[in-house]
Structure formats: C-alpha cells, structure tokens
C-alpha cells in the first residue's frame, strides 16, 4: 500500500468529524475519506434542524420543565422496546447516552461554542401511555445555527489540522473493501471517483478515475445509513411489523447516503444487527426547489391539524400530528394508503408548521434575531412555508371546503367526498364549545398549551377548522419520507466492531448511523428525536477516543 496513516475515518459527516477531532487531540495522524466533493463536508448533519436530546438542562428549567435521568430512561426504554438477544449492546449504549445527555453533554458542547434556542421543543409526544413510546416532557434543544451550528466547531478543527498537515481529507474516495478480516483490519481500498463540481447535497457522478489503497492501524466506519438508497430501504423494510411499503416515497437525505459501507464492513467480518429497524416519516412533501433526487421535506407539525388518509377518513389516535411517527406509518401502510392529508387553517399552519432542514429555517440557521421575531411571532407565516404554499405541488389553498376538496381531488390518488370530510370536521369543531371534550386531539392540544413553549410558539389558539376568520383552508398531501437507519454494525461501548462470534475485531470501529447511532441500534424500535445528532456526537467521540 502506498499511503499510510494512524487512523482512517470513512465518512466526513458529523460522527466522522467528531471522531477525527478526538484522534487529533491524541496526536494521531488521521485520514478522512469521503466519496462526495469537498462541498459536502459535514454530510447529512448540515441539512438538519440541529435538534439535540438533552436532559435536565438550564433551558428546560427556564421553561418550567422538570426532567430527570430516571424519567428519560423510562421514556427511552418504553420507546425502544428492546426484545432481542442482540439488543444487549444497544441497550448498554442507550443507558450510556442517557448518562451523557443528563451529565456532561451540554457542558462539553457549550465549551465548544454551541448555544441553543431558549424554547425547548416537544417532539414525539407518544402513543398514549406513560410507560410506552414518547417523550413525557420537551427535550428537543434546537442549536442556534441549526445543523451547520452543530458542525461548525468540528469542521473548523479539521480544516485547521488539514492546513497544519496533521490530517488528510481525501474527497471523491469511495471505499469498496476493508483490508484484513475478523483477525484484524489493516486498511482500506477503493475507487477514486471523477472530479465533480456538484454543490452540497447534489447528486455527483460515479465515474471511476482510478483506485487507491491506504494502510492504517485502525479504521473507523462513519459512513451513514441507507436512507438515500431506495432499493436497500425496500429490501430491509419490516413488512410484518409496518405493513408493505408504499409504491411511492420521497427521500429525506442525499443520494450518497447509500449504506454500501455497512455491507463492506459485514463482508470483512463485522456483525450487522437490527437492519429491519428504520425511521421514516409520514409528513413528507416534495421540495419545490429540490437539491437531491426525489427530495422531500418533512413538516414538523404542532398538534392541531386534522389528519386524514387518502380516502378522507380521519386517522385514529395516537396517529396525531407530532405524536407517534412509526405508529402512524404502520397504520397507513397496513391499510394500503398511498399518501395522507393534513387539513388545517392558515392560523394553525402559521404557528404550527415548521419545515425540517437548515435551509428551510434561515432565521435559526443565520442566527438572525429580527428575522426570527418576524417569522415566528409576526402576523405572516414564515417565508419558506409561504413559498411552499405558492409553489409546492402538495399544497391546496381555498376559501371554502368544497373548493378545498376539489383541489384535493385534482392531486390526490383517491376521490374524497366533500360531505364526508365536512361531517368529520364539524364533529371535531363542535368539541370546542366546552372546556372539556371526548375528542382525544382536542384534549391533546389543550394539554400542549399548558406548556409555555407550545403556547408561545408551537400551538395555535384552539379554533374551529371551518371558522372563516382563521382561513384560508389548507390541505397538504403527505408522503412517506425515508430518513434513518436504526440498526447497523454491532459495537461495544468503545465503538469497536464485533464479529459474528461477539469478539472485537482488532482495528475496526464504527460510529454514527452506520452503527445504529451506537452499538448497532441504541434506539431499539422507536426514536425520541434529537437522538440522531446526539448519537453521532456521542458515538463519534467514543470511537475516536478508543481508536
């Protein structure tokens, strides 16, 4: 082999960058390999909202949230549902992450310069039972600067080390094999892809211009998951648990999130577990200004919009906006729904519709306080949402219900009857006449407004959907949006990959989504949000320190 280094990091996303920084702190020579152009340094994390799952923070306490490590563990275990022999390491990783999230995590990140939006978000509110899935309290801490703000300290350190000659960044280097086997990994080999001027997140050519081999004392696989590879998503889809996948889905991650490196690690002897566990959303919309193929954006909804299937039937609890992502996905897939609908008002959408992604939140990403005040607290909806209303193919805006249903029928896969939709909406609206109700969603949105953060910024004042003062009416066609891999390469708590016999493979480590965010799947079956970036930070740090 021509080039040698102490440690190779495969993947220039958040987990890989964190691992590289830990290695640099320990005086190691590091080489980062990434198949994309330099413009995509930072990977998927760049496009994220920057939410982090943290426990018992000053931000929570200022918002009158009483959280604890014990409550977080109860929520996590109720969501994860660990029930397999191979969940031993994932569960240990979950417990270790919760100790981190309720301990040194915030202080460590604060010391690196990160700050958080003062209103803590309440994501994944759950399936309805105290010991089941969901967050009992708000824990979603949005980083000031969103995903780029999370990446910034690590990108800066890596670039500085590159300038000093302590780290090499090899872009357009696609690893196709790990050298060695279960007895030990000694390096990597792969293809040098042709240069490409593609911008961040855009699809780049796969034309091969050459080959490479690099020897190293250790290799860290930080290459991400399978969310951008539709074939692998369908191959691993748990039909018995979620029902058959819909014929059409939109993609929430760039095309380079192909999951191929997980297979290369498996062929080298690493054990891959829980690959049938995955995390997809049901609130996807097609990006009217796409960056990558089949580009989907997720609506992060508040609790007030009404949710209907493609036939116009209201979804049952706990399939409520923002409550149970996989429960809703399973319901829609089992009954063979090609898409679903939000029916809402301008007043609700303005306050409750947040769009996922750093690029859809210029106020938070740009740390622009005047823009934030206008976008979040002003009379008009945020400009990115208004742009989707004008240009997005999934939006219907109308002054009356008959006009709205006519628009829904123009773009929907199945016809909806206006009188059927009206009867359900009017039944819901009648529940607002009293301060108590049997409608679970009305009870939930009133409960949400008991939280100061929701009342200020995320939950509209309860009103009738058919109240013309709250209009116009808005319908949004929602697609399944592919996103995260919850399983992956099994590792011990240091991030060292384990073989089929359960023994560590010398020289091989894994972190981030390639390792199921820790141990081969520390989420179990369900995620609580903020745990994806959190898992990349935690597992990348562990692997870098150990390698």
């Amino acid at each position: 082999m021509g080039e040698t280094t102490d440690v190779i990091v495969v993947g220039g996303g958040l987990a890989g960058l964190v691992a590289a920084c830990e290695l640099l702190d320990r005086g190691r020579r590091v080489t980062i390999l990434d198949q994309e152009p330099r413009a995509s340094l930072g990977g998927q994390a760049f496009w994220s909202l920057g939410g982090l799952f943290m426990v018992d923070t000053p931000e929570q306490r200022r918002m009158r949230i009483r959280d604890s490590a014990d409550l977080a563990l109860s929520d996590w275990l109720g969501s994860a549902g660990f029930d397999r022999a191979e969940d031993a390491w994932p569960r240990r990783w979950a417990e270790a992450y919760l100790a981190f999230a309720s301990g040194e995590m915030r202080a460590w990140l604060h010391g690196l310069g990160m700050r958080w939006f003062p209103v803590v978000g309440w994501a994944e509110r759950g399936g309805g039972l105290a010991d089941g899935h969901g967050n009992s309290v708000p824990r979603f801490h949005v980083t000031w600067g969103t995903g780029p703000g999370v990446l910034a300290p690590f990108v800066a350190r890596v670039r500085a080390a590159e300038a000093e000659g302590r780290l090499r960044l090899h872009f357009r280097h696609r690893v196709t094999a790990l050298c060695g086997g279960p007895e030990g990994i000694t390096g990597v080999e792969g293809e040098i892809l042709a240069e490409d001027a593609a911008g961040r997140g855009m699809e780049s050519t796969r034309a091969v211009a050459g080959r490479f081999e690099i020897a190293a004392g250790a290799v860290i696989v930080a290459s991400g998951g399978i969310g951008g590879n539709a074939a692998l998503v369908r191959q691993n889809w748990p039909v018995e648990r979620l029902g058959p996948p819909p014929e059409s889905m939109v993609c929430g991650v760039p095309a380079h999130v192909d999951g191929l490196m997980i297979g290369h690690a498996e062929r080298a002897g690493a054990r891959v577990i829980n690959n049938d566990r995955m995390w997809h959303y049901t609130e996807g919309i097609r990006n009217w200004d796409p960056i990558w193929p089949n580009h989907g954006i997720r609506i992060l909804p508040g609790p007030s919009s009404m949710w209907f299937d493609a036939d116009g039937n209201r979804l049952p609890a706990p399939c409520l906006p923002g409550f149970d992502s996989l429960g809703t996905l399973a319901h829609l897939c089992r009954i063979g729904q090609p898409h679903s609908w939000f029916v809402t008002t301008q007043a609700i959408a303005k306050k409750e519709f947040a769009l996922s992604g750093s690029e859809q939140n210029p106020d938070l990403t740009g740390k622009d306080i005047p823009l934030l005040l206008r976008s979040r607290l002003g009379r008009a909806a945020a400009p990115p949402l208004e742009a989707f209303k004008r240009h997005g193919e999934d939006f219907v805006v109308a002054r009356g219900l008959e006009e709205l249903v006519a628009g829904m029928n123009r773009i929907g896969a199945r016809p909806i009857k206006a009188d059927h939709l009206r009867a359900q909406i009017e039944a819901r609206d009648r529940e607002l006449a009293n301060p108590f109700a049997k409608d679970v969603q009305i009870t939930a949105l009133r409960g949400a407004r008991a939280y100061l953060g929701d009342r200020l910024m995320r939950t509209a004042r309860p009103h009738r959907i058919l109240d013309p003062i709250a209009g116009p009416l808005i319908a949004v066609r929602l697609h399944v949006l592919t996103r995260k891999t919850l399983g992956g390469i099994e590792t011990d708590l240091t991030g060292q990959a384990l073989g089929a016999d359960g023994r560590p493979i010398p020289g091989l480590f894994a972190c981030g989504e390639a390792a199921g965010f820790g141990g081969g799947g520390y989420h179990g079956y369900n995620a609580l949000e903020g745990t994806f970036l959190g898992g990349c930070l935690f597992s990348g740090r562990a692997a870098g320190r150990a390698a």
Side-chain angles (χ1 to χ4, degrees):
M1 293 188 180
E3 184 178 331
T4 62
T5 188
D6 290 336
V7 183
I8 295 167
V9 178
V10 183
L14 177 60
L17 294 174
V18 173
C21 289
E22 294 294 332
L23 291 160
L24 291 167
D25 286 345
R26 286 151 181 78
R28 300 296 186 263
R29 294 175 302 139
V30 183
T31 298
I32 298 177
L33 305 177
D34 198 287
Q35 64 182 345
E36 292 309 295
R38 182 176 285 267
S40 286
L41 181 65
Q44 297 178 66
F46 178 90
W47 302 105
S48 75
L49 192 57
L52 296 173
F53 180 103
M54 294 191 285
V55 177
D56 193 21
T57 63
E59 288 77 19
Q60 286 177 300
R61 292 191 289 273
R62 280 193 288 268
M63 297 303 295
R64 306 170 193 167
I65 300 164
R66 288 181 286 186
D67 200 4
S68 69
D70 287 343
L71 181 60
L73 177 62
S74 174
D75 285 350
W76 193 295
L77 295 180
S79 298
F82 294 124
D83 61 359
R84 299 172 176 175
E86 56 265 37
D87 283 331
W89 282 110
R91 177 166 179 153
R92 291 177 68 179
W93 268 91
E95 292 168 348
Y97 176 76
L98 288 168
F100 175 64
S102 59
E104 65 175 307
M105 179 178 181
R106 185 187 181 281
W108 176 56
L109 297 176
H110 192 277
L112 293 173
M114 289 189 209
R115 300 294 183 268
W116 296 276
F117 189 61
V119 177
V120 183
W122 196 354
E124 281 299 298
R125 303 181 190 216
L129 296 177
D131 59 354
H133 169 58
N135 284 296
S136 296
V137 298
R139 297 189 176 104
F140 192 75
H141 296 69
V142 176
T143 304
W144 192 230
T146 65
V150 176
L151 285 166
F154 305 106
V155 170
R157 293 172 70 192
V158 163
R159 285 177 172 164
E162 181 188 26
E164 295 163 1
R166 298 189 296 127
L167 176 144
R168 297 189 183 112
L169 276 165
H170 290 330
F171 296 99
R172 307 301 286 154
H173 280 56
R174 178 171 63 181
V175 174
T176 57
L178 295 168
C179 301
E183 69 284 351
I185 298 300
T186 58
V188 301
E189 60 182 57
E191 299 166 339
I192 301 173
L193 303 180
E195 289 299 317
D196 194 314
R200 182 184 290 277
M202 295 181 178
E203 191 171 24
S204 61
T205 180
R206 289 297 178 258
V208 176
R211 294 198 59 83
F212 70 91
E213 293 184 10
I214 305 175
V219 175
I220 299 176
V221 177
S223 53
I226 68 171
N229 188 330
L232 277 182
V233 169
R234 291 183 181 278
Q235 176 183 316
N236 290 297
W237 189 279
V239 175
E240 72 289 345
R241 194 169 71 249
L242 296 182
E247 293 183 8
S248 175
M249 296 183 280
V250 294
C251 190
V253 293
H256 62 76
V257 186
D258 55 25
L260 299 181
M261 192 66 215
I262 298 173
H264 300 330
E266 187 172 29
R267 282 185 286 277
R271 186 184 186 207
V272 176
I273 60 176
N274 298 318
N275 53 12
D276 64 321
R277 294 177 181 171
M278 50 187 70
W279 188 253
H280 308 305
Y281 294 108
T282 49
E283 309 101 333
I285 53 176
R286 294 190 182 277
N287 194 343
W288 65 271
D289 188 17
I291 296 169
W292 54 80
N294 197 27
H295 187 171
I297 293 290
R298 182 195 176 204
I299 293 177
L300 287 75
S304 301
S305 297
M306 296 188 72
W307 206 339
F308 298 90
D309 64 23
D311 296 307
N313 300 309
R314 191 179 181 191
L315 302 193
C319 302
L320 305 175
F323 277 73
D324 187 353
S325 291
L326 281 196
T328 305
L329 177 64
H331 172 78
L332 291 171
C333 289
R334 285 170 183 158
I335 61 175
Q337 292 292 318
H339 61 79
S340 60
W341 294 98
F342 277 158
V343 172
T344 192
T345 67
Q346 174 70 13
I348 292 172
K350 170 194 163 301
K351 192 160 188 176
E352 298 192 10
F353 278 15
L355 300 175
S356 65
S358 54
E359 81 285 9
Q360 301 296 332
N361 294 273
D363 51 349
L364 295 168
T365 303
K367 303 180 181 180
D368 188 332
I369 293 176
L371 178 59
L372 183 147
L373 293 174
R374 292 196 302 273
S375 299
R376 311 279 166 171
L377 299 177
R379 293 186 176 181
L385 176 60
E386 289 297 334
F388 267 93
K389 283 173 56 184
R390 290 194 302 273
H391 307 296
E393 65 181 71
D394 297 309
F395 280 73
V396 178
V397 182
R399 285 292 170 187
L401 187 63
E402 283 69 22
E403 180 188 353
L404 187 80
V405 172
M408 295 166 72
N409 286 334
R410 280 195 299 272
I411 66 172
R414 298 175 181 174
I416 291 175
K417 295 182 179 179
D419 57 352
H420 179 52
L421 203 66
R422 179 181 292 278
Q424 296 171 87
I425 296 173
E426 288 180 342
R428 176 264 187 203
D429 284 356
R430 281 195 299 270
E431 295 283 292
L432 291 171
N434 289 291
F436 35 81
K438 70 177 182 180
D439 190 291
V440 174
Q441 187 172 7
I442 299 298
T443 301
L445 72 90
R446 285 173 171 158
R449 284 179 61 83
Y451 167 48
L452 177 62
D454 271 1
R455 190 164 68 252
L456 288 174
M457 305 198 68
R458 286 290 284 153
T459 306
R461 186 186 299 275
H463 61 265
R464 292 183 298 111
I465 297 292
L466 296 180
D467 184 349
I469 297 176
L473 291 170
I474 300 170
V476 188
R477 180 180 56 181
L478 303 171
H479 311 267
V480 172
L481 176 132
T482 64
R483 184 63 69 85
K484 295 296 181 188
T485 307
L486 297 188
I489 299 166
E490 186 179 27
T491 73
D492 63 19
L493 286 178
T494 70
Q496 190 160 14
L498 305 178
D501 59 1
R503 296 179 181 177
I505 299 175
L508 182 60
F509 297 80
C511 59
E513 194 171 351
F517 301 95
Y522 85 154
H523 290 99
Y525 290 98
N526 279 293
L528 290 173
E529 298 292 1
T531 52
F532 301 125
L533 292 183
C536 287
L537 291 163
F538 184 56
S539 64
R541 191 174 84 148
R545 290 180 175 184

